Amino acid sequence: MTEQIIDAPALDAVPPGKSPGRRALDRFMRNRMAMGGVVVIAIIAILSFLVPALSPHDIVEVNWSHVLSPPSFSSGFWFGTDVNGRDLMVRTFYAGRISLAIGLLATAIAFVIGVVYGSISGFFGGRVDAVMMRICDVIYALPTLFFIVILVTVFRAKNIFFVFMCIGAVEWLTMARIVRGQTLSVKRKEYVESAWAIGLPRSKILTRYIIPNVTGAVIVYVTLLIPVNILIESYLSFLGLGVQEPLTSWGLLIAQGSTELAGAPWLLIFPAFFLTVTLFAFNFIGDGLRDALDPRDR
């Protein structure tokens, strides 16, 4: 009877299990809708930077002989022109720069405020936590858009970065609550208790052990917050409180196009199309991240 010989080195060749992060990335990449959203955002971002840079027309260049010209390849105005004869394609993709920047930077501001505020509230607990959460409740009682309009109107700032700050300064509330809940759970972990035992100061425990371990919980919410901030900027620009001329954004173009809808529908169709596609793409990415990071699937 022939004995079966087991090749010991072959056993060592078995690849080790993937890390949780790698498994989450694999699940995300298998999500066609999420990857499609990534591709769409990448294409829009690239076009937003290349088209205005390579086009022979500028966003403020006036062509009086082509006022309200419909889209045409022969004339060189692929998206048509506006009431001042300006190239709508250049203005639409330049607006993409502003809208994407507002979405990303306002979300980054909200992320920083929310993570710091929520982690401090959950870490210290007690009266500190109670007071900080009551402040959140008071701000929550005000409608978000109404509060942003008040900030923009009171300070009367024309700088576009102030719009970023106003939006980000309001959209951190939900993020702070998520981080607070995660902090209450993390601070009871063994490694945090060990840090307390060896006498590490509170500041080091907070920055070294608490904040790095709670930020992962808000990644999905951050992705979903980007389209919300883009939409808020569109509302503000539609009301005349957001981006101002000579700069432009999708919201401002939609506001201008809505006044000429009967005679020049392309002024509304193109910016509204790119805004809608961007919002859907970010939502698909957020859904993909949520599915990939869902603990029930790990």
Side-chain angles (χ1 to χ4, degrees):
M1 182 176 181
T2 306
E3 294 183 358
Q4 184 179 4
I5 300 176
I6 299 177
D7 188 3
L11 296 177
D12 297 333
V14 177
K18 294 182 179 179
S19 65
R22 180 63 183 179
R23 291 197 299 269
L25 179 60
D26 291 341
R27 284 195 295 269
F28 179 79
M29 296 183 68
R30 287 196 300 267
N31 190 319
R32 295 182 179 180
M33 299 297 289
M35 291 304 299
V38 172
V39 172
V40 168
I41 294 300
I43 292 174
I44 292 178
I46 292 172
L47 291 176
S48 296
F49 282 91
L50 289 183
V51 171
L54 301 178
S55 174
H57 306 288
D58 189 71
I59 62 169
V60 295
E61 179 184 342
V62 176
N63 299 277
W64 294 114
S65 59
H66 292 280
V67 173
L68 289 179
S69 295
S72 173
F73 290 103
S74 59
S75 65
F77 298 107
W78 293 8
F79 289 5
T81 60
D82 63 7
V83 293
N84 294 317
R86 295 175 295 188
D87 188 352
L88 183 62
M89 183 177 71
V90 173
R91 290 179 62 78
T92 297
F93 285 113
Y94 188 89
R97 296 183 184 180
I98 304 298
S99 294
L100 290 175
I102 287 177
L104 294 172
L105 294 180
T107 302
I109 293 173
F111 176 80
V112 172
I113 297 175
V115 169
V116 173
Y117 192 95
S119 59
I120 291 175
S121 177
F123 180 71
F124 287 95
R127 293 182 179 179
V128 174
D129 180 41
V131 171
M132 295 180 73
M133 286 299 102
R134 295 299 78 76
I135 293 174
C136 286
D137 293 338
V138 171
I139 301 177
Y140 252 124
L142 295 173
T144 300
L145 186 60
F146 177 72
F147 192 39
I148 294 174
V149 169
I150 290 177
L151 290 176
V152 175
T153 304
V154 169
F155 289 97
R156 300 179 183 275
K158 300 298 183 181
N159 194 326
I160 187 175
F161 291 100
F162 187 80
V163 179
F164 301 163
M165 295 176 63
C166 287
I167 296 175
V170 175
E171 289 295 324
W172 57 271
L173 297 170
T174 302
M175 195 174 305
R177 289 191 169 187
I178 296 174
V179 172
R180 172 186 175 270
Q182 293 294 317
T183 301
L184 291 174
S185 175
V186 169
K187 74 176 186 178
R188 297 185 178 92
K189 299 293 185 181
E190 292 79 3
Y191 54 86
V192 177
E193 294 180 353
S194 299
W196 281 109
I198 63 177
L200 284 181
R202 290 182 175 181
S203 58
K204 286 189 176 181
I205 296 176
L206 186 63
T207 57
R208 185 179 299 179
Y209 297 104
I210 301 296
I211 292 180
N213 286 284
V214 301
T215 52
V218 297
I219 291 178
V220 176
Y221 181 73
V222 166
T223 309
L224 297 175
L225 188 60
I226 294 174
V228 172
N229 289 334
I230 293 176
L231 203 57
I232 290 175
E233 182 278 325
S234 299
Y235 293 152
L236 293 176
S237 296
F238 190 86
L239 297 173
L241 298 174
V243 178
Q244 303 295 325
E245 294 282 1
L247 298 178
T248 188
S249 69
W250 285 329
L252 183 58
L253 290 179
I254 291 172
Q256 295 171 347
S258 63
T259 62
E260 302 290 338
L261 183 59
W266 60 87
L267 295 180
L268 177 63
I269 291 174
F270 287 107
F273 170 77
F274 282 101
L275 174 62
T276 303
V277 169
T278 300
L279 295 180
F280 273 107
F282 274 118
N283 278 296
F284 289 148
I285 295 172
D287 289 341
L289 283 174
R290 181 187 59 196
D291 295 339
L293 298 175
D294 190 350
R296 293 172 297 180
D297 295 337
R298 292 180 181 178

